[in-house]
Amino acid sequence: MNYQELYNRSLEHPEKFWEAQAKEITWFEFPENILSEDEQGFYRWYTGGKLNTAYLALDYHVANGKADHTALIYDSPVTETVRKYTFRQLRDEVALFAGVLKKQGVTAGDTVVIYMPMIPEAAIAMLACARLGAVHSVVFGGFAPHELAIRIDDAQPKVIVSASCGIEFTKVIPYKPLLDAAIEEASHQPQATIIYQRPMCQAQLQEGQDLDWITVMQAAEPAECVPVDATHPLYILYTSGTTGKPKGIVRDNGGHAVAMKFSLKYVYGVNPEDVYWAASDVGWVVGHSYIVYAPLISGVTTVMFEGKPIKTPDAGTFWRVIEQHKVNTFFTAPTAFRAIRKEDSEGALAQKYDLSSLRTVFLAGERCDIATYQWLTDLLKVPVIDHWWQTESGWPMLANMVGVALQPIKPGSACTPVTGYDVRVLNEAGDECAPNEEGAVVIKYPLPPGCLPTLWRDPQRFREAYLSTFEGYYLSGDGGYKDEDGYVFVMGRIDDVINVAGHRLSTGEMEEIVSSHHAVAECAVIGIADSLKGQIPVGLVVLKDGVTTDAHQLESELVQSIRQQIGAVACFKRAIVVKRLPKTRSGKILRKILRYIADGRSFNMPSTIDDPAILEEIKTNLQTQHIGMAFTA
Ligand code: COA
Ligand code: AMP
């Protein structure tokens, strides 16, 4: 098959193309329309179709010869556990937990928040919701109670499912106190919470509010799959926007199921008998799409890994898992390999294992830096594929589609557009940039199946945030360029979002927290380059007139506030006091210039800057404090 031919077909005849792909999954009722507009003017795929995502992921395989095939391998070095589920076993667990939820009054369209570590019960809870047509919203375990509370108030769950604890390296983190604090802060109150008790930490359950997972499962009756409309939401996944209010990305059932099956085969080149491993977390979109839904819908064995790339127990843990479970396709974030490389620069640990099953490595979450790409390629001698996508898309937008044919790899580029995505690079006037000229990376609307149709209960924000900057185009929020061969290089966000260790965070939200400190007049939080985590946030703070405060004390108070309100995952560790911030004459803070100074990159002095001398002051400040690549390397 030829990539260009397939790609052209998907853009020239999208309805025909995606009708054929829709036939690759089983529907209770095949869609009446392939692509149509809803009453808001947003595009919708497959209206009139009826299906059930959990049926496709489990029951379908049980009924079609794969009942005893391994569906999920739970590998947890932090608890020294390996547990396998066949499709039948997983279906039975999911049907029972769906029965538990049903008994709590959960029906199609109700929401359920899931706040869990990387244990199979998290996937079981997600699939149980899908079975009932309920809408799950998984919240990453590294978020603090305040973040969880925001999501509870927006999603308004009937039930919350959680566990007694998560494990970070060797540290046991009790989840129940965090959950209790979030529920106390939230205005919306769930009818019940269901807690999975883990042996290393027992949560205190409150009579009348908390249910014990194991007890309720013992008393449960299995529930059947409920057919839902193709456009019915499968899940909401909150992701960082430019403000303190995260965006509730909606995923529908029909387009998502088609995109999952299509992408696993054509982008990742995965065959039905393969073992697929995405080392991510169910709290992120990678976990939704490529730990749970895509492999299971495709009848492929998925690995669910509860550990870190290093220290669990060592930097050879990834290689051990690949050997032990004969992983064929592996997906993680570049930061994970940078962590491994830091501990085992020669890759000696990889030599200890038989990695012959491994065909391809995929990287996403941030741009793969060339040094990491080179190190991995030399070490593994398999194609290392950088591919670009977002929570919003749910599946890759730029990739080397190895399932079609491997194209030449250009390090630093996430390759060419994936079938269905008309990716362009536009300048500020909305015209297409010339080759190698940087601009905003956008996608011609409509987006293909599986991408967000709207934001949860906020169509206005969907329109404003994504569709209003360039008429007829979806704004990705990333900047980059296309070279003369059509390869796209995504260079980083052009808004107030940063990627820290593959985790997407909002500097705008951090600024709101920092600014609320009584001593702070104004601030800028910028993401600066970091050799391990890709980016880390740093706060530049201007004090209120007349306020004298110890800078170290202030820094530690701000660090604490961000940890308490967003979570440790924000990695906010530095805040320095500066006299002034550089601004345009209209008062806009020049954050990009601050970033360039910290990273030691050259820049053109903006003609709109009100006082260029400020930049020298800031540079000296960063230098004295050893902040930024320019002053630490
Ligand atoms: N629950 C509770 N706390 C969590 C957490 C979770 N699920 N995830 C992270 N945290 C905490 C960590 O314990 C740490 O806390 P600390 O400041 O008290 O030490 C903090 O959040 C920062 O975590 P992280 O940025 O992950 O740093 P780390 O030093 O623990 O690990 C890496 C560094 C590179 C090994 C790790 O970030 C990693 O494996 N990244 C890959 C990410 C990934 O797969 N992303 C998905 C995109 S594909
Ligand atoms: P998330 O929604 O958490 O998946 O984060 C999406 C963001 O991560 C994108 O908008 C990019 O900024 C960044 N990103 C993900 N993959 C890549 C990649 N391969 N290259 C460059 N940036 C990436």
Side-chain angles (χ1 to χ4, degrees):
M1 213 185 318
N2 177 299
Y3 156 75
Q4 201 59 51
E5 208 178 287
L6 193 76
Y7 179 69
N8 291 349
R9 238 194 300 146
S10 76
L11 293 196
E12 282 158 19
H13 306 287
E15 294 195 55
K16 223 166 128 190
F17 185 88
W18 290 111
E19 180 177 10
Q21 298 313 323
K23 290 183 179 152
E24 297 292 316
I25 63 164
T26 301
W27 299 80
F28 298 132
E29 281 172 39
F30 195 76
E32 287 159 15
N33 306 296
I34 300 303
L35 180 63
S36 50
E37 262 183 65
D38 67 11
E39 60 287 352
Q40 317 255 16
F42 300 146
Y43 284 101
R44 304 304 304 250
W45 289 95
Y46 305 127
T47 54
K50 284 202 184 294
L51 76 165
N52 182 283
T53 298
Y55 172 85
L56 297 175
L58 300 167
D59 302 62
Y60 172 84
H61 304 299
V62 174
N64 286 278
K66 278 202 148 172
D68 299 319
H69 190 84
T70 305
L72 186 143
I73 303 171
Y74 166 56
D75 188 308
S76 168
V78 292
T79 59
E80 297 183 350
T81 312
V82 172
R83 197 159 73 234
K84 295 185 182 182
Y85 294 79
T86 62
F87 277 96
R88 191 202 314 274
Q89 286 165 335
L90 195 58
R91 192 274 314 265
D92 291 350
E93 290 284 309
V94 167
L96 263 192
F97 195 66
V100 168
L101 293 174
K102 194 171 167 184
K103 208 165 160 194
Q104 293 305 314
V106 174
T107 58
D110 285 336
T111 50
V112 173
V113 161
I114 299 171
Y115 183 62
M116 293 183 104
M118 282 289 289
I119 54 176
E121 286 70 18
I124 290 169
M126 291 163 75
L127 289 157
C129 291
R131 197 169 181 88
L132 297 176
V135 185
H136 61 70
S137 186
V138 183
V139 178
F140 177 60
F143 280 128
H146 174 68
E147 287 291 315
L148 180 56
I150 294 175
R151 287 154 174 79
I152 291 172
D153 276 337
D154 201 67
Q156 309 210 335
K158 203 171 234 180
V159 171
I160 300 183
V161 186
S162 189
S164 55
C165 65
I167 303 163
E168 282 291 296
F169 297 110
T170 52
K171 199 167 53 179
V172 172
I173 301 185
Y175 275 25
K176 187 63 175 29
L178 305 175
L179 176 61
D180 288 345
I183 294 175
E184 198 177 322
E185 183 183 328
S187 313
H188 173 83
Q189 297 295 295
Q191 282 177 25
T193 49
I194 303 172
I195 310 292
Y196 182 79
Q197 296 277 23
R198 305 188 75 188
M200 59 292 294
C201 167
Q202 293 285 305
Q204 285 282 335
L205 302 189
Q206 287 172 43
E207 191 77 40
Q209 171 66 29
D210 301 322
L211 302 167
D212 170 60
W213 173 294
I214 294 170
T215 312
V216 287
M217 282 290 263
Q218 276 161 355
E221 292 290 327
E224 288 304 316
C225 293
V226 176
V228 295
D229 289 338
T231 51
H232 183 80
L234 170 67
Y235 68 77
I236 313 160
L237 182 56
Y238 289 91
T239 190
S240 298
T242 51
T243 66
K245 189 173 185 289
K247 292 168 170 164
I249 306 299
V250 175
R251 192 84 56 220
D252 64 14
N253 275 271
H256 173 253
V258 173
M260 290 299 97
K261 183 126 195 231
F262 174 82
S263 61
L264 205 74
K265 181 171 172 186
Y266 291 98
V267 177
Y268 295 92
V270 172
N271 305 311
E273 298 306 309
D274 283 354
V275 176
Y276 182 87
W277 178 24
S280 178
D281 189 289
V282 284
W284 307 112
V285 67
V286 176
H288 282 63
S289 295
Y290 296 107
I291 295 175
V292 180
Y293 288 113
L296 295 179
I297 288 173
S298 309
V300 164
T301 305
T302 183
V303 179
M304 190 166 187
F305 175 74
E306 185 184 28
K308 298 265 179 171
I310 50 170
K311 298 188 188 136
T312 54
D314 59 26
T317 195
F318 276 7
W319 318 130
R320 193 269 303 159
V321 174
I322 291 169
E323 176 189 278
Q324 189 168 338
H325 306 304
K326 300 195 169 37
V327 172
N328 305 109
T329 304
F330 179 46
F331 176 178
T332 191
T335 186
F337 284 119
R338 286 198 297 270
I340 293 175
R341 187 179 169 206
K342 210 167 156 210
E343 305 228 333
D344 179 24
S345 61
E346 300 298 315
L349 289 165
Q351 312 302 336
K352 280 178 43 186
Y353 297 94
D354 174 5
L355 305 179
S356 57
S357 61
L358 191 65
R359 279 199 311 267
T360 329
V361 172
F362 284 86
L363 297 171
E366 53 173 321
R367 178 169 179 258
C368 179
D369 55 286
I370 295 173
T372 303
Y373 167 82
Q374 213 58 60
W375 182 78
L376 257 187
T377 307
D378 292 346
L379 183 69
L380 301 176
K381 305 198 169 41
V382 297
V384 173
I385 309 292
D386 181 7
H387 64 322
W388 172 72
W389 53 299
Q390 315 179 296
T391 309
E392 287 85 343
S393 66
W395 61 291
M397 302 184 279
L398 289 171
N400 201 323
M401 297 181 69
V402 301
V404 180
L406 181 70
Q407 299 176 73
I409 294 173
K410 292 195 187 188
S413 168
C415 205
T416 48
V418 168
T419 328
Y421 290 97
D422 188 351
V423 181
R424 314 268 180 104
V425 179
L426 303 184
N427 64 20
E428 277 180 19
D431 299 321
E432 260 189 80
C433 291
N436 302 312
E437 185 193 341
E438 254 191 67
V441 182
V442 301
I443 295 151
K444 196 154 188 292
Y445 198 57
L447 301 169
C451 296
L452 82 169
T454 185
L455 291 177
W456 183 247
R457 296 201 184 113
D458 208 348
Q460 189 56 26
R461 189 174 180 196
F462 174 61
R463 199 184 304 280
E464 282 166 12
Y466 299 104
L467 302 179
S468 64
T469 309
F470 299 109
E471 173 97 35
Y473 293 93
Y474 163 86
L475 184 74
S476 71
D478 281 309
Y481 62 92
K482 246 187 210 187
D483 73 5
E484 41 289 299
D485 299 324
Y487 277 59
V488 183
F489 292 71
V490 178
M491 303 308 289
R493 299 288 304 195
I494 48 176
D495 56 11
D496 297 337
V497 168
I498 55 172
N499 279 282
V500 181
H503 306 139
R504 175 166 159 181
L505 298 158
S506 164
T507 50
E509 180 178 13
M510 293 184 212
E511 285 184 5
E512 285 173 26
I513 296 169
V514 172
S515 305
S516 67
H517 190 284
H518 60 84
V520 175
E522 62 174 350
C523 74
V525 175
I526 51 166
I528 64 169
D530 180 76
S531 60
L532 174 64
K533 299 195 175 186
Q535 278 186 304
I536 46 164
V538 166
L540 303 178
V541 173
V542 179
L543 298 179
K544 284 183 184 155
D545 279 348
V547 170
T548 47
T549 181
D550 177 69
H552 288 297
Q553 176 62 23
L554 177 68
E555 179 174 64
S556 91
E557 284 171 18
L558 295 174
V559 167
Q560 255 332 93
S561 299
I562 301 245
R563 262 183 102 86
Q564 271 162 10
Q565 297 198 52
I566 299 179
V569 73
C571 283
F572 183 90
K573 300 210 160 118
R574 297 304 312 267
I576 56 167
V577 175
V578 295
K579 279 202 212 113
R580 303 171 292 166
L581 290 168
K583 292 186 185 169
T584 60
R585 280 190 277 277
S586 59
K588 202 169 166 293
I589 298 173
L590 291 159
R591 293 178 177 78
K592 192 169 164 186
I593 302 289
L594 291 172
R595 228 169 45 224
Y596 278 25
I597 294 175
D599 295 350
R601 289 164 66 185
S602 57
F603 57 88
N604 294 326
M605 183 67 73
S607 55
T608 51
I609 191 165
D610 65 349
D611 180 3
I614 300 177
L615 299 182
E616 260 323 299
E617 273 175 39
I618 302 238
K619 192 172 165 185
T620 313
N621 243 314
L622 291 168
Q623 198 160 15
T624 331
Q625 303 279 338
H626 305 292
I627 293 176
M629 289 280 212
F631 312 115
T632 49

